[in-house]
Amino acid sequence: MKLTATPLMKIGHLGVNLFVKRDDLYPISGGGNKGRKAEYILAKCIADDCNAVVTCGSAQSNHVRATAIRCKELGIACTIVIHAPKTNNIQGNLKLLYMLGVKVVYCDMADVAKVMDGEMEEYAKQGLKPFYIWGGGHCLEGTKAFYDAAFEAHTQAKQHFDFVFHASGTGATQAGLHVGFKKINLATQVIGISVARQNPRGTEAINHSALELVNENGLDVQLSKNIIFDDEFISGGYEKTNPEQLSVIKAVAEQTGIILDPTYSGKAWYGMQQYIKSGRVKSGSNVLFWHTGGLLNLMATKQI
Ligand SMILES: *Cc1c(COP(=O)(O)O)cnc(C)c1O
């Protein structure tokens, strides 16, 4: 059941030794970091002898799409609670939920916990054993997936990175990469570019997940206080963008063939470019851009 490693590309761009970890190609349709998380989370579901899943997200959530696909691959029943009004705009991730034929329930944001509990009870009544997954796949298994992924990238590169950049949301991806790269080489700096959250909340969430990972797995890692969660490039919030970021997304596609999106990876790339331009990342550094995906988010927008 172990899915395969994603490619690591070396492209040399922007005056640095730029590597790109292609988790956008993670082997679940639509790819992305939520595919990597889903593999680990659903393995826990099976280890717990569960045979149904209830989770939640927005209409364009990559987490719910990756979870629904993994459930179908494994033959596990799946209910997705969408905390937004029902829409006739069936695009991107939402289109795949309908193609997969998982149960889709809509509710108000304020009712999501109650509605998810109700769906859990519903499965229990049917004689199934349901498994609950937090929105975004924000949990220990999701963090562990990225801890292991840091080693995957290191093995592929056969050298140390000075910096790792990626799009950061709930903090599970960054916590896993942060602890993983600290274990590999204390000098590597993982820089999460926020897609929505501001500090101190963003940094606190990463700290919390990193501590949980270290404690639960008994890891011998020096957990430094220098988690870098940069909220400078959120451009107004989740799913918001601006002309400057859109032009970078377009330029990267034209110059490298790498497809970024305005909700996630485009913000991260834009942020990385600002670090390089401002000299915070010196030319000649070994820089890893961790491409977390977002293709279906791009396809669901009217931009570009
Ligand atoms: C969810 C998501 C992120 C952020 O991951 P977190 O673990 O929540 O920080 C980044 N990129 C894409 C494409 C995502 O779907």
Side-chain angles (χ1 to χ4, degrees):
M1 271 324 166
K2 178 81 183 121
L3 302 177
T4 50
T6 59
L8 181 82
M9 286 169 49
K10 185 167 186 204
I11 60 174
H13 189 64
L14 306 170
V16 295
N17 298 321
L18 185 60
F19 294 79
V20 182
K21 181 63 171 159
R22 298 295 304 269
D23 267 12
D24 56 319
L25 302 178
Y26 197 82
I28 273 186
S29 294
N33 67 335
K34 302 312 187 302
R36 204 181 267 283
K37 286 187 185 180
E39 183 180 349
Y40 278 61
I41 296 169
L42 272 293
K44 172 80 162 77
C45 167
I46 289 170
D48 287 0
D49 272 335
C50 293
N51 48 18
V53 156
V54 176
T55 192
C56 70
S58 64
Q60 288 305 328
S61 162
N62 291 312
H63 159 66
V64 299
R65 178 259 311 163
T67 301
I69 291 174
R70 194 66 182 141
C71 282
K72 285 288 166 177
E73 288 177 352
L74 298 168
I76 293 171
C78 178
T79 295
I80 302 297
V81 178
I82 295 187
H83 44 62
K86 188 167 179 173
T87 168
N88 292 324
N89 189 18
I90 310 287
Q91 295 190 66
N93 285 303
L94 188 59
K95 185 186 275 188
L96 296 192
L97 294 187
Y98 284 110
M99 278 200 61
L100 293 159
V102 295
K103 183 175 176 189
V104 180
V105 179
Y106 293 85
C107 73
D108 285 347
M109 188 58 138
D111 297 332
V112 65
K114 197 179 71 194
V115 172
M116 285 176 76
D117 288 347
E119 295 299 326
M120 292 287 287
E121 282 166 28
E122 187 65 34
Y123 275 133
K125 266 191 230 151
Q126 293 170 22
L128 296 173
K129 195 175 167 203
F131 186 80
Y132 188 98
I133 306 174
W134 293 99
H138 184 69
C139 59
L140 179 61
E141 288 72 31
T143 308
K144 179 68 165 51
F146 280 89
Y147 174 78
D148 290 347
F151 292 87
E152 179 182 305
H154 177 66
T155 305
Q156 289 171 318
K158 297 184 192 74
Q159 60 181 292
H160 290 302
F161 299 110
D162 301 308
F163 298 93
V164 179
F165 287 90
H166 70 96
S168 197
T170 67
T173 300
Q174 186 165 355
L177 291 178
H178 181 86
V179 178
F181 280 111
K182 282 293 166 225
K183 178 92 181 160
I184 293 163
N185 175 18
L186 272 178
T188 299
Q189 279 194 349
V190 174
I191 301 176
I193 304 295
S194 176
V195 300
R197 275 186 187 167
Q198 293 181 323
N199 278 323
R201 186 179 169 217
T203 305
E204 282 165 6
I206 297 159
N207 242 320
H208 182 269
S209 293
L211 267 177
E212 184 187 37
L213 176 73
V214 168
N215 293 337
E216 292 290 323
N217 289 277
L219 298 174
D220 172 26
V221 184
Q222 198 182 322
L223 250 197
S224 57
K225 289 266 175 281
N226 65 346
I227 285 171
I228 306 173
F229 176 85
D230 193 331
D231 61 7
E232 211 186 308
F233 309 105
I234 52 182
S235 78
Y238 186 65
E239 292 183 334
K240 301 276 196 311
T241 186
N242 61 40
E244 229 182 321
Q245 293 189 357
L246 289 172
S247 72
V248 165
I249 291 170
K250 185 75 169 50
V252 170
E254 287 181 0
Q255 291 162 17
T256 70
I258 292 168
I259 307 298
L260 305 168
D261 77 288
T263 308
Y264 294 105
S265 54
K267 284 183 180 173
W269 190 289
Y270 178 83
M272 175 178 74
Q273 229 172 272
Q274 299 308 306
Y275 271 75
I276 295 168
K277 272 192 187 160
S278 69
R280 277 181 282 180
V281 169
K282 301 261 174 305
S283 63
S285 300
N286 287 336
V287 179
L288 175 62
F289 180 78
W290 200 290
H291 195 327
T292 53
L295 180 62
L296 290 166
N297 305 95
L298 173 74
M299 301 317 282
T301 69
K302 294 190 177 64
Q303 288 132 359
I304 306 213

